mmCIF file of all heavy atoms in Angstrom:
data_model
loop_
_atom_site.group_PDB
_atom_site.id
_atom_site.type_symbol
_atom_site.label_atom_id
_atom_site.label_comp_id
_atom_site.label_asym_id
_atom_site.label_seq_id
_atom_site.Cartn_x
_atom_site.Cartn_y
_atom_site.Cartn_z
ATOM 1 N N GLU A 723 -2.547 44.250 19.467
ATOM 2 C CA GLU A 723 -1.478 45.223 19.241
ATOM 3 C C GLU A 723 -2.012 46.670 19.041
ATOM 4 O O GLU A 723 -3.151 46.843 18.641
ATOM 5 C CB GLU A 723 -0.654 44.792 18.016
ATOM 6 C CG GLU A 723 0.539 45.618 17.648
ATOM 7 C CD GLU A 723 1.603 45.669 18.717
ATOM 8 O OE1 GLU A 723 1.382 46.465 19.669
ATOM 9 O OE2 GLU A 723 2.613 44.966 18.602
ATOM 10 N N GLU A 724 -1.154 47.611 19.236
ATOM 11 C CA GLU A 724 -1.465 49.017 18.921
ATOM 12 C C GLU A 724 -1.232 49.241 17.423
ATOM 13 O O GLU A 724 -0.827 48.341 16.698
ATOM 14 C CB GLU A 724 -0.571 49.961 19.720
ATOM 15 C CG GLU A 724 -0.812 49.926 21.203
ATOM 16 C CD GLU A 724 -2.080 50.688 21.624
ATOM 17 O OE1 GLU A 724 -2.495 51.560 20.831
ATOM 18 O OE2 GLU A 724 -2.610 50.368 22.719
ATOM 19 N N TYR A 725 -1.587 50.462 16.929
ATOM 20 C CA TYR A 725 -1.484 50.758 15.512
ATOM 21 C C TYR A 725 -0.575 52.016 15.360
ATOM 22 O O TYR A 725 -0.670 52.960 16.146
ATOM 23 C CB TYR A 725 -2.836 51.046 14.913
ATOM 24 C CG TYR A 725 -3.746 49.823 14.930
ATOM 25 C CD1 TYR A 725 -4.570 49.593 15.997
ATOM 26 C CD2 TYR A 725 -3.728 48.900 13.902
ATOM 27 C CE1 TYR A 725 -5.389 48.489 16.060
ATOM 28 C CE2 TYR A 725 -4.553 47.796 13.888
ATOM 29 C CZ TYR A 725 -5.383 47.571 14.990
ATOM 30 O OH TYR A 725 -6.179 46.440 15.059
ATOM 31 N N PHE A 726 0.301 51.940 14.352
ATOM 32 C CA PHE A 726 1.089 53.160 14.008
ATOM 33 C C PHE A 726 0.125 54.195 13.454
ATOM 34 O O PHE A 726 -0.867 53.874 12.761
ATOM 35 C CB PHE A 726 2.133 52.803 12.959
ATOM 36 C CG PHE A 726 3.227 51.932 13.440
ATOM 37 C CD1 PHE A 726 3.253 50.563 13.112
ATOM 38 C CD2 PHE A 726 4.271 52.433 14.205
ATOM 39 C CE1 PHE A 726 4.261 49.753 13.542
ATOM 40 C CE2 PHE A 726 5.297 51.620 14.635
ATOM 41 C CZ PHE A 726 5.311 50.254 14.307
ATOM 42 N N PRO A 727 0.415 55.491 13.709
ATOM 43 C CA PRO A 727 -0.446 56.518 13.099
ATOM 44 C C PRO A 727 -0.507 56.434 11.588
ATOM 45 O O PRO A 727 -1.552 56.689 10.964
ATOM 46 C CB PRO A 727 0.260 57.808 13.556
ATOM 47 C CG PRO A 727 1.003 57.447 14.772
ATOM 48 C CD PRO A 727 1.422 56.043 14.592
ATOM 49 N N GLU A 728 0.611 55.993 10.981
ATOM 50 C CA GLU A 728 0.612 55.840 9.508
ATOM 51 C C GLU A 728 -0.342 54.698 9.069
ATOM 52 O O GLU A 728 -0.933 54.782 7.967
ATOM 53 C CB GLU A 728 2.019 55.536 9.020
ATOM 54 C CG GLU A 728 3.018 56.657 9.243
ATOM 55 C CD GLU A 728 3.667 56.620 10.615
ATOM 56 O OE1 GLU A 728 3.183 55.873 11.489
ATOM 57 O OE2 GLU A 728 4.668 57.277 10.785
ATOM 58 N N GLU A 729 -0.506 53.714 9.907
ATOM 59 C CA GLU A 729 -1.419 52.593 9.560
ATOM 60 C C GLU A 729 -2.876 53.117 9.594
ATOM 61 O O GLU A 729 -3.698 52.747 8.694
ATOM 62 C CB GLU A 729 -1.258 51.441 10.572
ATOM 63 C CG GLU A 729 0.019 50.694 10.438
ATOM 64 C CD GLU A 729 0.061 49.495 11.439
ATOM 65 O OE1 GLU A 729 0.105 49.732 12.657
ATOM 66 O OE2 GLU A 729 0.025 48.389 10.964
ATOM 67 N N VAL A 730 -3.212 53.927 10.620
ATOM 68 C CA VAL A 730 -4.530 54.469 10.709
ATOM 69 C C VAL A 730 -4.879 55.299 9.493
ATOM 70 O O VAL A 730 -5.971 55.158 8.878
ATOM 71 C CB VAL A 730 -4.699 55.302 11.993
ATOM 72 C CG1 VAL A 730 -6.072 55.928 12.088
ATOM 73 C CG2 VAL A 730 -4.425 54.407 13.227
ATOM 74 N N THR A 731 -3.941 56.110 9.077
ATOM 75 C CA THR A 731 -4.150 56.995 7.930
ATOM 76 C C THR A 731 -4.352 56.143 6.647
ATOM 77 O O THR A 731 -5.225 56.424 5.844
ATOM 78 C CB THR A 731 -3.000 57.967 7.784
ATOM 79 O OG1 THR A 731 -2.869 58.712 8.974
ATOM 80 C CG2 THR A 731 -3.193 58.902 6.598
ATOM 81 N N LYS A 732 -3.455 55.209 6.472
ATOM 82 C CA LYS A 732 -3.541 54.374 5.235
ATOM 83 C C LYS A 732 -4.855 53.597 5.174
ATOM 84 O O LYS A 732 -5.426 53.486 4.082
ATOM 85 C CB LYS A 732 -2.325 53.450 5.105
ATOM 86 C CG LYS A 732 -2.366 52.591 3.840
ATOM 87 C CD LYS A 732 -1.183 51.706 3.739
ATOM 88 C CE LYS A 732 -1.216 50.932 2.396
ATOM 89 N NZ LYS A 732 -2.270 49.964 2.321
ATOM 90 N N LEU A 733 -5.258 53.007 6.242
ATOM 91 C CA LEU A 733 -6.510 52.221 6.222
ATOM 92 C C LEU A 733 -7.643 53.062 5.877
ATOM 93 O O LEU A 733 -8.558 52.622 5.097
ATOM 94 C CB LEU A 733 -6.718 51.496 7.570
ATOM 95 C CG LEU A 733 -7.914 50.582 7.670
ATOM 96 C CD1 LEU A 733 -7.781 49.440 6.668
ATOM 97 C CD2 LEU A 733 -8.120 50.039 9.084
ATOM 98 N N ARG A 734 -7.787 54.264 6.426
ATOM 99 C CA ARG A 734 -8.877 55.148 6.068
ATOM 100 C C ARG A 734 -8.843 55.457 4.572
ATOM 101 O O ARG A 734 -9.901 55.425 3.891
ATOM 102 C CB ARG A 734 -8.794 56.435 6.845
ATOM 103 C CG ARG A 734 -9.014 56.255 8.341
ATOM 104 C CD ARG A 734 -8.717 57.480 9.139
ATOM 105 N NE ARG A 734 -8.897 57.285 10.571
ATOM 106 C CZ ARG A 734 -8.575 58.140 11.516
ATOM 107 N NH1 ARG A 734 -8.052 59.350 11.176
ATOM 108 N NH2 ARG A 734 -8.812 57.888 12.801
ATOM 109 N N ARG A 735 -7.699 55.654 3.985
ATOM 110 C CA ARG A 735 -7.558 55.946 2.615
ATOM 111 C C ARG A 735 -7.916 54.698 1.743
ATOM 112 O O ARG A 735 -8.632 54.800 0.701
ATOM 113 C CB ARG A 735 -6.161 56.385 2.242
ATOM 114 C CG ARG A 735 -5.950 56.820 0.780
ATOM 115 C CD ARG A 735 -4.571 57.436 0.537
ATOM 116 N NE ARG A 735 -3.493 56.511 0.853
ATOM 117 C CZ ARG A 735 -2.677 56.639 1.913
ATOM 118 N NH1 ARG A 735 -2.825 57.609 2.755
ATOM 119 N NH2 ARG A 735 -1.690 55.740 2.084
ATOM 120 N N ASP A 736 -7.514 53.526 2.226
ATOM 121 C CA ASP A 736 -7.791 52.289 1.477
ATOM 122 C C ASP A 736 -9.277 51.992 1.468
ATOM 123 O O ASP A 736 -9.833 51.568 0.452
ATOM 124 C CB ASP A 736 -7.045 51.116 2.132
ATOM 125 C CG ASP A 736 -5.568 51.152 1.914
ATOM 126 O OD1 ASP A 736 -5.125 51.883 0.983
ATOM 127 O OD2 ASP A 736 -4.816 50.520 2.644
#
Side-chain angles (χ1 to χ4, degrees):
E723 182 62 280
E724 294 283 337
Y725 297 88
F726 291 103
E728 296 87 345
E729 290 184 292
V730 176
T731 302
K732 180 179 183 293
L733 182 62
R734 293 171 181 174
R735 185 172 62 251
D736 290 341

